[in-house]
Amino acid sequence: YIGFIMKKTILRLVRLIFGLFLYALGIVITIKANIGYSPWDAFHSGISNTIDITMGIASIMTGLVIIMIAAIMGEKIGIGTILNMFLIGIFFDMINNSYLIPTTDNFIIGIGSMMIGLFVIAFASYFYIGSGFGAGPRDSLMVSLSRKTKFPIGVCRSAIEVFVVIIGYFLGGMVGIGTVLATFAIGICVQIVFGILKFDVTKVKHETLKDTYLALFFNENI
């Protein structure tokens, strides 16, 4: 029984890390589409250009600030929240610097690449969220804002993304038709993928850091 709990937790960690790698891959594909970055990536690229760091490091720094804000607002932090902050940025720089994903120079192909990237992100969300190790920094912020303001999740998400796009634009981030496409199409892609896989995100029970610690080292089945 003890071994079963340990094995189950480790397999979930593998699922989480695989999902975060896919997420980073999806981000690189959308960026290489060359028709405008998604809202958060436009923000990260603006920071990257302003203080001369990689987009991956900008993503990690942003995630750290958001985690602190979400924690102050009362959100529970899980190992998935922490690994999301670090690994997506690290994986992004690894994949982006490998030059394995070519940059498109055709608008129509760019739209196709953007959609492929968004579907990859949707599949990544299935693996990452399904691991049950806690929401990512940006998702935690969205939930916190919704809880505090009583506004619907969709309204809070849109408000946050409009805010980061505006800042990203003024910092020199790449904003274009792809930004608009990503903002509206990602929800559709996620809905399609979750529907095909029959994945109900509302039934996922997320662990806090304490829950995971107890499961790994004291074999407590949370």
Side-chain angles (χ1 to χ4, degrees), residues 179-196:
T179 310
V180 178
L181 179 61
T183 300
F184 290 100
I186 184 58
I188 297 172
C189 293
V190 168
Q191 185 173 341
I192 291 173
V193 170
F194 285 10
I196 292 173

Side-chain angles (χ1 to χ4, degrees), residues 27-83:
I27 292 173
V28 174
I29 293 173
T30 62
I31 286 175
K32 295 294 186 179
N34 201 30
I35 57 173
Y37 295 173
S38 68
W40 278 107
D41 294 323
F43 179 76
H44 297 150
S45 67
I47 293 177
S48 172
N49 294 335
T50 302
I51 60 178
D52 194 26
I53 57 175
T54 67
M55 279 185 63
I57 297 298
S59 173
I60 292 172
M61 290 172 55
T62 302
L64 180 59
V65 172
I66 293 173
I67 283 179
M68 290 189 292
I69 294 173
I72 291 171
M73 295 176 71
E75 284 305 303
K76 293 180 178 180
I77 305 301
I79 192 172
T81 314
I82 305 299
L83 291 182

Side-chain angles (χ1 to χ4, degrees), residues 147-168:
R147 183 177 291 114
K148 296 294 183 181
T149 64
K150 308 302 181 185
F151 288 127
I153 284 285
V155 172
C156 293
R157 174 170 179 167
S158 297
I160 291 171
E161 296 203 345
V162 168
F163 178 72
V164 297
V165 163
I166 292 172
I167 295 178

Side-chain angles (χ1 to χ4, degrees), residues 86-140:
F86 284 107
L87 292 186
I88 289 181
I90 293 171
F91 286 148
F92 173 87
D93 281 344
M94 287 173 52
I95 298 169
N96 193 46
N97 293 336
S98 71
Y99 298 103
L100 292 175
I101 310 297
T103 301
T104 62
D105 55 5
N106 179 282
F107 180 72
I108 301 300
I109 295 176
I111 290 178
S113 296
M114 174 65 75
M115 293 306 301
I116 290 172
L118 294 177
F119 271 110
V120 172
I121 289 173
F123 274 105
S125 299
Y126 162 73
F127 285 103
Y128 146 62
I129 296 173
S131 69
F133 281 116
R138 293 152 188 80
D139 293 331
S140 295

